[in-house]
Amino acid sequence: MKPASFFAALSGLLLSSSFASAGSLARVPGNDDTIMVKLPNQVSMTIVARNKQQLRELKNYKLDSLMTLLDAYITQAESAGRKGSNGQVTMEFYPAKDKPGSTAAPEQVRVTVRGTKPNADRVEVFMNKKLGVVVENSEDANGDNVKVSINSDAKSDSVKHAKREARRNKLTGTDFGVDLGLNALVNKKTYAPGGTAQPYDLRTWGSRYVALNWKFWARTGRNSPLYFHLGPEVAFNNYMLEGSRYFAANDAAGRTDIVKDDVRNLEKSKLAVTTLNLPVGFTLKFRDKDHDEVFRIGAGGFAGYRIGAHTKLKYEQDGRTHKDKDRGSYNLEDFQYGLSGSLGVKGFDLFVKYNLNDVFKADRGPKAQNVSFGITFSDI
């Protein structure tokens, strides 16, 4: 059905004393403010309103004049479309400005004609900033389907609907995230090279974890709530010791010692480790009836390689602030691997990452494993 013929049918239908006289009429189950009309020529029309009062408000508009006006606008748009290279054109008209003082004239009419392609015509009408009518005409093997949405902001609802449909049908994508958290050493064993125990408790707020991650994700099925994801990650682990202690490389003994400095009274003493990781896992997303995500839970693992390490000491001496920075391997494990989990809503996730390997090489440093936990900010 062409737009012009549709408007003629719609005008007669809405101005008639009974919907039923034009064809069969039924309410859409579960929605009192939705009416579906099936016309004899196999054209179906759905009228959707926020409430029944909005449907009754249609009588305030002179729909016969409106349909005549729209027919003229569509004719202009079709004429302009034939002159274009691809047959597509969008035109906007402002009847209310052309006829000042007329309460029945729409504020804006936007007509888009897409040539001979399916879903060829779309007309949006906004009347006095209150009532919106969106008409969509799509041609398929079963005939024409015309949908009329009537609500207080038809343009906004149509955009929301389009975004919702895009989310529902999207099967792959990418996501960038930033992890902000803390580190803790677990499964610790006494470290006593030479028979002297060397404590290595961490400062909670000084032992920070930061990671930049890029993920490629793919849905496991068109309607599946399960998503697979993987992607590179650059992680920065800081280990800051309590009690004016710091990590020191003992090259002669081939190990890393924990040294207590009673002279300089260290303000900061951290071991910073940078790794390049490859996380992989699955995320289960729970959605509401509008397909908006409300909750998600994920689990997986990661493997990585250390690409750098250094210590940094900060202290006051002779009235001056000193910052000593030394690079080295500090007998750290080069390869790492572990498990991860997350729990999130919207663009925030709580995460935990557990390293299955030790932080230092066997018998060449303190024996302990690392746990990182915190919050992820992402555009997922």
Side-chain angles (χ1 to χ4, degrees):
M1 176 182 289
K2 296 300 182 182
S5 59
F6 164 72
F7 286 128
L10 178 62
S11 178
L13 187 63
L14 294 179
L15 292 174
S16 65
S17 59
S18 172
F19 278 118
S21 64
S24 64
L25 178 150
R27 290 188 182 276
V28 177
N31 196 338
D32 290 337
D33 53 6
T34 302
I35 297 177
M36 177 180 291
V37 181
K38 293 183 178 180
L39 302 178
N41 60 352
Q42 295 185 343
V43 172
S44 63
M45 180 175 65
T46 302
I47 300 178
V48 183
R50 292 181 185 270
N51 51 57
K52 290 183 283 292
Q53 180 60 32
Q54 286 190 338
L55 287 175
R56 297 189 179 99
E57 290 178 0
L58 284 174
K59 66 183 180 181
N60 298 327
Y61 298 90
K62 297 179 180 179
L63 293 182
D64 51 347
S65 300
L66 175 61
M67 299 309 155
T68 302
L69 183 68
L70 294 179
D71 188 25
Y73 289 161
I74 292 173
T75 300
Q76 294 182 48
E78 288 177 333
S79 177
R82 285 192 291 268
K83 299 178 182 179
S85 59
N86 57 4
Q88 177 171 323
V89 66
T90 297
M91 300 181 69
E92 293 186 356
F93 306 90
Y94 301 90
K97 292 182 179 180
D98 297 336
K99 299 180 179 180
S102 175
T103 59
E107 177 185 332
Q108 178 189 34
V109 177
R110 183 186 300 110
V111 180
T112 299
V113 178
R114 299 185 179 90
T116 59
K117 298 180 180 179
N119 196 23
D121 303 289
R122 179 179 178 87
V123 180
E124 296 182 358
V125 184
F126 298 94
M127 293 181 276
N128 301 328
K129 299 183 179 180
K130 294 181 179 180
L131 189 65
V133 180
V134 176
V135 180
E136 295 184 52
N137 175 41
S138 60
E139 299 180 0
D140 53 33
N142 298 321
D144 293 346
N145 292 298
V146 180
K147 181 176 181 181
V148 182
S149 297
I150 305 175
N151 50 57
S152 60
D153 191 354
K155 182 179 180 180
S156 176
D157 282 359
S158 64
V159 171
K160 291 179 181 178
H161 177 75
K163 290 182 178 179
R164 188 180 301 121
E165 287 298 314
R167 290 195 300 269
R168 180 181 290 114
N169 298 323
K170 194 171 184 179
L171 297 178
T172 61
T174 58
D175 172 49
F176 177 78
V178 178
D179 295 345
L180 300 177
L182 301 173
N183 288 315
L185 297 179
V186 298
N187 301 326
K188 296 165 58 177
K189 304 295 183 181
T190 300
Y191 187 52
T196 303
Q198 300 181 354
Y200 53 100
D201 296 327
L202 296 181
R203 296 186 190 179
T204 301
W205 299 108
S207 301
R208 292 180 288 271
Y209 173 84
V210 178
L212 308 177
N213 51 70
W214 179 88
K215 293 179 182 178
F216 167 80
W217 57 263
R219 201 170 186 175
T220 57
R222 181 165 296 277
N223 296 314
S224 173
L226 188 63
Y227 294 74
F228 169 77
H229 60 82
L230 63 86
E233 171 188 82
V234 180
F236 307 91
N237 292 82
N238 288 339
Y239 304 102
M240 188 176 295
L241 293 172
E242 289 277 16
S244 194
R245 290 182 170 87
Y246 64 94
F247 293 98
N250 188 336
D251 295 330
R255 66 173 185 261
T256 296
D257 289 336
I258 310 299
V259 178
K260 181 172 175 49
D261 194 324
D262 295 322
V263 177
R264 294 180 292 184
N265 189 23
L266 302 177
E267 294 181 25
K268 181 183 297 184
S269 58
K270 70 176 183 179
L271 172 62
V273 183
T274 304
T275 58
L276 179 62
N277 302 326
L278 181 64
V280 59
F282 291 89
T283 299
L284 188 62
K285 297 184 179 182
F286 300 89
R287 301 181 183 274
D288 59 19
K289 62 180 181 180
D290 294 324
H291 205 67
D292 292 324
E293 184 183 314
V294 295
F295 178 77
R296 62 181 174 270
I297 184 171
F302 62 91
Y305 185 79
R306 182 181 60 83
I307 58 178
H310 69 270
T311 57
K312 184 176 181 180
L313 307 180
K314 181 180 178 181
Y315 56 92
E316 294 283 343
Q317 192 174 57
D318 298 329
R320 297 176 55 190
T321 299
H322 296 264
K323 296 180 181 179
D324 297 342
K325 187 174 181 180
D326 294 307
R327 298 186 180 277
S329 67
Y330 292 91
N331 298 295
L332 293 159
E333 284 284 4
D334 292 325
F335 290 96
Q336 65 170 338
Y337 54 93
L339 303 175
S340 63
S342 64
L343 196 65
V345 293
K346 297 187 182 297
F348 305 92
D349 289 85
L350 298 177
F351 74 87
V352 60
K353 298 179 180 179
Y354 173 58
N355 284 61
L356 296 174
N357 63 295
D358 290 335
V359 177
F360 295 89
K361 295 177 180 178
D363 301 322
R364 298 176 65 180
K367 183 175 178 58
Q369 293 166 293
N370 182 57
V371 173
S372 304
F373 55 93
I375 187 170
T376 299
F377 301 90
S378 66
D379 56 3
I380 192 168

